[in-house]
């Protein structure tokens, strides 16, 4: 059985994961409209992954005798002024999510809820990957800057990675 504190913290994370999915979806839509199909496919796929992260938490909370709450979401507030600005926000967002996962582990340990701590380890590993992916993308975008040819090639790279079902981090 989950403690009230643990349940409330997990429910906050459910909201955070749902908002992550919306952020990626907003980025995907923006990239698609701009004609960057590779970046869009990558973002659509990330959005689905975030939804899966959310669902996994919903199932876990309910399975442990709690009640997963599906709440309203904040609208993604993104700075679309440049690719750099957009991807910098993405990276910062993933760093923030990692912090909130670490915070959840802290709460689980302080409550001696070892089952939840164990469950959260999957998220800890996942965040290492997500942060690394966001950083690799940001580094590449920083290198390319506003160079149109560079962005075109980068978009193609993203298309190939998504088509192959690979992560951009190799
Ligand atoms: Fe759910 O991992 Fe990104 O935000």
């Amino acid at each position: 059985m989950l403690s009230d504190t643990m349940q409330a913290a997990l429910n906050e994370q459910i909201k955070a994961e749902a908002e992550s999915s919306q952020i990626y979806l907003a980025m995907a839509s923006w990239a698609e409209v701009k004609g960057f199909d590779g970046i869009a496919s990558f973002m659509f796929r990330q959005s689905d992954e975030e939804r899966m992260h959310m669902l996994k938490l919903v199932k876990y909370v309910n399975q442990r005798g709690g009640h997963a709450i599906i709440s309203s979401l904040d609208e993604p507030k993104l700075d679309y002024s440049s690719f750099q600005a957009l991807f910098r926000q993405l990276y910062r967002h993933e760093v923030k999510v990692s912090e909130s996962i670490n915070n959840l582990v802290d709460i689980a340990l302080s409550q001696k809820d070892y089952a939840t701590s164990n469950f959260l380890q999957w998220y800890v590993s996942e965040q290492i990957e997500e942060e690394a992916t966001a950083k690799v993308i940001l580094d590449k975008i920083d290198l390319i800057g506003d160079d149109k040819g560079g962005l075109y090639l980068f978009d193609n790279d993203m298309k190939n990675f998504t088509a192959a079902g690979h992560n951009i981090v190799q």
Side-chain angles (χ1 to χ4, degrees):
M1 186 83 184
L2 293 172
S3 69
D4 287 351
T5 311
M6 193 73 255
Q7 185 175 181
L10 289 169
N11 270 321
E12 263 179 50
Q13 192 62 29
I14 287 173
K15 184 172 187 230
E17 299 291 345
E19 282 174 352
S20 289
S21 179
Q22 295 292 89
I23 287 174
Y24 280 110
L25 190 57
M27 289 181 172
S29 176
W30 178 82
E32 187 166 60
V33 167
K34 290 265 172 204
F36 291 105
D37 292 344
I39 295 173
S41 314
F42 175 81
M43 293 299 182
F44 278 123
R45 201 185 54 159
Q46 290 297 113
S47 174
D48 285 348
E49 270 194 29
E50 297 296 351
R51 182 176 156 76
M52 187 269 284
H53 297 172
M54 184 222 18
L55 284 176
K56 213 172 153 74
L57 279 159
V58 168
K59 298 272 179 197
Y60 179 76
V61 169
N62 290 343
Q63 185 191 33
R64 294 287 314 281
H67 180 192
I69 304 296
I70 309 305
S71 54
S72 61
L73 305 176
D74 292 335
E75 183 190 342
K77 294 263 184 298
L78 299 170
D79 173 0
Y80 296 107
S81 59
S82 71
F83 268 101
Q84 267 157 317
L86 198 64
F87 284 99
R88 186 151 298 120
Q89 290 169 89
L90 180 63
Y91 175 64
R92 287 207 193 110
H93 176 76
E94 288 301 348
V95 170
K96 221 175 77 195
V97 173
S98 298
E99 281 166 10
S100 65
I101 296 290
N102 289 342
N103 193 35
L104 279 176
V105 175
D106 269 356
I107 296 172
L109 291 176
S110 72
Q111 306 265 314
K112 296 199 188 325
D113 184 345
Y114 301 112
T116 300
S117 161
N118 194 36
F119 166 78
L120 290 169
Q121 292 314 306
W122 182 86
Y123 287 84
V124 171
S125 316
E126 184 71 9
Q127 277 313 121
I128 295 173
E129 211 181 274
E130 300 240 317
E131 256 190 59
T133 303
K135 184 73 170 70
V136 167
I137 295 174
L138 180 60
D139 288 347
K140 282 183 194 282
I141 290 283
D142 277 344
L143 273 177
I144 296 165
D146 284 334
D147 179 62
K148 287 214 162 52
L151 281 175
Y152 176 80
L153 291 176
F154 176 67
D155 186 59
N156 261 334
D157 274 359
M158 296 285 266
K159 208 174 293 173
N160 296 336
F161 276 115
T162 308
H166 287 145
N167 201 296
I168 190 106
V169 181
Q170 288 195 308

